[in-house]
Amino acid sequence: MTDTTQTAPPLSALFSGANLFPTLMLGGAICLHAVETYITATLMPSIVRDIGGLSLFAWATTLYVAASVIGSIFVAVRPAAVSLNRCYVGGATLFGLGSLVCAIAPVIEVVLAGRAIQGLGAGLLVTLGYSFIRFVYPEALWRKASTLYAAIWGVATFLGPTIGGVFASGSAWREAFLILVPIALVMAWLAPRRLPRGEDRNAAPPAPFAQIVLLLASVLLVSFAGSVEVVALRSGLAGLAVLGVAGMVATERRAGARLLPAGAVRLSSALARIYLIMLLLLVVLASDIYIPYFLQTLHGVTPLVSGYLVAMLALGWTSSAFLTAGLSGRRAVLSIAAGTLVEAVSTGMLVLLLARDNADGSLAVLACATIAIFGMGFGVGMGWAHLVTLVLKLAPDDEKDKASAAITTMQSLGSAFGAALAGVVANSTGLLDPGGIAGDIAAAGWLYGLFALPGLCAFVLALSLLRQPR
């Protein structure tokens, strides 16, 4: 975590010489995932109105990110004969197949199956972005590459809601998924022609099956808890999910085949705290899956506009990533800590701004809510690239691949648990019973009040990094 006096190369270096095609391909993979995220966020209210399944609303995100965990782990434990560019081909192909399944789905359960296939492909693609960093760029460009990924989310800010909103307004949500299919297939065709093979390995590391099963079981248990009506059963499922996470941590500490780099499950390790901050930031951010729904039901906003308003979150992430990209050492850690606090406060503000009956669409209320949504993303962007850089620097040399995959694993788990917990909170506090305006107001209030708390926990962890020897 030392400060550097060396002049960092400009962001444009990612697009010059031998860096150009890898940047376009890796950026394209992130863009495909990011644009689809906002398409689906904008479309979900229209989908449940068309084919039903409001109680399963959060599952569209939960299954997607749970499957992406499997995809991200595969990159680290893949067979020796499977190169990184071949993983890219598989990821893009699966993403296209999942989009096709969503497009032809007659019921919500088939949409969820398609989302799981999409998530598996996305897990591969996003993890490859981090895995390829050390193969195609010098270390001086690692932070710039991470900043670029944040900028791509800014592009998705405009593309995703536009595509999703236009198709949602015309009740043509199926076509919004369908247009992703040929794009994914073209990217799969280009991968072996434009990307290097990546690392050659003599043997694949053993797969941490026990930890994977425990983590995925925990995510699914929380999701089930959100969709059942019996309070006692809901509490029991949530308790089992907590036990699953505890079992995973205990198994990871003594297992020969580890899911995470050495020391990543012990809070005394800086690497463990960095991963935990990543996870908590994404848990908070996952509460955004209900923002389009509450904007449409409580504030009278159209699907297109609601898509753009929730996309302000990504715009916040992008803008703060650029503003803080030049920081290093202690200043970078201070940016991480400040960002966690900004995210927590912005999320808490939605209790006052989103959880209210604004059927007339008061511009003053919507403007303040938009600032808070922007702040959620701004806080994450202040620290994300610095967290990624710290992981790549602190991980042992022989575990860089595992450390890169674990970044996406934490990102996916944070989103998965966040979405599942959001479903539990919303469904338990009024979304389904009593429902209607009163139920939506109660659900939104509880949701954003409770989800500010993980952000405060991340703030405490970030402060502890300042005391880490540098």
Side-chain angles (χ1 to χ4, degrees), residues 401-426:
D401 221 19
K402 185 176 292 184
S404 298
I407 293 171
T408 306
T409 299
M410 292 299 107
Q411 189 173 358
S412 299
L413 285 175
S415 297
F417 276 109
L421 289 171
V424 171
V425 173

Side-chain angles (χ1 to χ4, degrees), residues 11 142-152 318 321-325 385:
L11 189 66
W142 288 359
R143 185 178 284 108
K144 296 294 184 181
S146 298
T147 301
L148 175 65
Y149 293 166
I152 289 169
T318 301
F322 276 119
L323 288 173
T324 62

